[in-house]
Amino acid sequence: MQVPAHVEYEKATSVEHALSLLVRYGPEARVLAGGHSLIPMMKLRLAQPETLIDVNGLSQLSFITEANGELRIGALTRHAQLLDSPTAGRHFAILHDAERVIADPIVRNWGTVGGSLCQADPSEDLSAAFAALKASMVIRTPDGSRTVPARDFHTGPYETVVAPAELLTEIRIAIRPGGGSAYAKVARRVGDWPVGAAGVAIWLDGGTIADAGIGLTAVGAEHFAAAEAEEFLRGRPATEASFARAGQIAAEHCRPSSDQRGPADYKRHLASELTTRALRLAMRRAQRQDTPAGTAPGRPTGTAPGRPT
Ligand SMILES: Cc1cc2nc3c(=O)[nH]c(=O)nc-3n(C[C@H](O)[C@H](O)[C@H](O)COP(=O)(O)OP(=O)(O)OC[C@H]3O[C@@H](n4cnc5c(N)ncnc54)[C@H](O)[C@@H]3O)c2cc1C
């Protein structure tokens, strides 16, 4: 039986209270959100916090709103809420694509968006989705707040820029005209972590790609992004040839490792193929010729056992 070490418990009643508790208990305290990552790690003694600061009562951190030309997502928003949000899906289909294939309903009902990002697992799906969308993370500090680009948020596997006395409170995504987005993932089985996944956001100006964001997860991409492929796409025609080349560039610049989920060369192949597929679907969505996720040719979203085709 796996039993966590002894731990003190405090229930925060407001964001300010949570921050004061984090200051009081110091670096050995940990925020408890959905607990789907933290509690298993405590059971395995991979994490041994002295105090848990439970933020589950902070309803002010659970929201999805549109304000000032941005989509704003509270850190305590559950995966299931994001999946159910028409506002999020209307502006950024990538979020629904990704949430549909994150874990299972039990994890999605309790796990939070903020917890996923702060866990900083190198295979986290939302890290790639928010990197593609060029989102910003709002972090509350004891003295105020600061905003960090998604691509600067993770400093390494299981590490973020959130300091021990700080709290991630919100994710913001600019809503820009001409945009379309999509997420494509391959996992070994339904509800599993990705073998590889790609998230894409493109903004069209007529038939030209004005801007592109490409996020990759589980394939060793720096900052969960494929910056070189994005650079290639900017100003190019939104064609199959551009998408295929961008996929190749994305694959060339990631550094997957072989593990129980698959060999490195297969993951590199996935980076290329899934980037191309997500670009194709994102373009269709940008052109308002949306195809429901999972039904487009080549199954661009959803989990497929083994190879993606
Ligand atoms: C069976 C299973 C399958 C899964 N499959 C997938 C998958 O396919 N894809 C995927 O991406 N993920 C997957 N996950 C991971 C899951 O999405 C995340 O573990 C979970 O959502 C983390 O969120 P949480 O709210 O449970 O975080 P917690 O476990 O509560 O916290 C995780 C970490 O983040 C910190 N933290 C939490 N919130 C904040 C905050 N607001 N500010 C600062 N620090 C904070 C905690 O202190 C802790 O260190 C899976 C998990 C399980 C258990």
Side-chain angles (χ1 to χ4, degrees):
M1 189 169 67
Q2 295 164 346
V3 181
H6 174 83
V7 63
E8 298 294 329
Y9 174 88
E10 293 272 7
K11 189 160 181 61
T13 54
S14 66
V15 170
E16 291 69 27
H17 185 216
L19 289 167
S20 72
L21 290 169
L22 285 168
V23 169
R24 190 198 308 166
Y25 287 102
E28 299 309 321
R30 293 285 279 277
V31 171
L32 176 68
H36 271 300
S37 294
L38 184 54
I39 301 293
M41 287 181 71
M42 288 170 64
K43 285 173 144 185
L44 293 169
R45 308 273 173 131
L46 294 172
Q48 293 199 32
E50 289 175 3
T51 311
L52 289 180
I53 315 288
D54 186 349
V55 296
N56 278 280
L58 306 188
S59 54
Q60 64 268 47
L61 292 185
S62 176
F63 59 85
I64 300 170
T65 55
E66 194 180 330
N68 297 333
E70 294 176 322
L71 182 74
R72 299 180 174 182
I73 304 168
L76 202 66
T77 302
R78 313 283 170 185
H79 291 297
Q81 290 175 290
L82 187 53
L83 180 56
D84 286 348
S85 164
T87 309
R90 188 171 67 251
H91 290 300
F92 303 111
I94 183 176
L95 296 175
H96 279 187
D97 290 348
E99 284 294 1
R100 207 172 281 119
V101 291
I102 289 177
D104 50 54
I106 296 170
V107 174
R108 292 200 295 265
N109 279 340
W110 205 242
T112 65
V113 172
S116 277
L117 295 171
C118 291
Q119 179 65 17
D121 189 296
S123 300
E124 210 79 53
D125 286 295
L126 287 184
S127 301
F130 287 122
L133 292 169
K134 303 181 183 182
S136 305
M137 315 313 193
V138 181
I139 298 167
R140 280 288 301 270
T141 71
D143 307 320
S145 70
R146 62 198 171 97
T147 303
V148 177
R151 294 169 186 212
D152 294 340
F153 185 78
H154 296 102
T155 49
Y158 307 100
E159 287 178 7
T160 73
V161 294
V162 182
E166 296 181 340
L167 201 60
L168 173 67
T169 53
E170 192 175 326
I171 297 96
R172 295 182 177 178
I173 312 162
I175 299 168
R176 297 154 60 187
S181 61
Y183 194 78
K185 166 174 169 174
V186 165
R188 293 170 300 177
R189 62 186 83 84
V190 171
D192 200 359
W193 293 84
V195 180
V200 155
I202 55 172
W203 292 270
L204 297 180
D205 181 4
T208 302
I209 300 168
D211 196 10
I214 300 174
L216 295 172
T217 194
V219 293
E222 209 172 334
H223 306 297
F224 291 97
E228 297 81 3
E230 294 169 353
E231 184 58 39
F232 166 81
L233 285 172
R234 235 167 264 130
R236 297 214 178 241
T239 59
E240 187 61 29
S242 301
F243 299 159
R245 181 67 193 126
Q248 287 168 353
I249 296 171
E252 283 161 16
H253 286 86
C254 62
R255 283 181 297 169
S257 22
S258 300
D259 59 17
Q260 78 280 10
R261 292 200 183 101
D265 59 347
Y266 174 53
K267 294 182 185 183
R268 199 180 291 281
H269 167 76
L270 287 182
S272 172
E273 182 63 30
L274 296 178
T275 297
T276 303
R277 290 182 185 197
L279 278 165
R280 213 178 277 147
L281 181 55
M283 181 192 69
R284 281 207 296 271
R285 286 171 168 167
Q287 293 172 330
R288 309 245 179 256
Q289 293 169 4
D290 196 350
T291 306
T295 62
R299 295 181 57 191
T301 59
T303 49
R307 301 192 75 82
T309 53

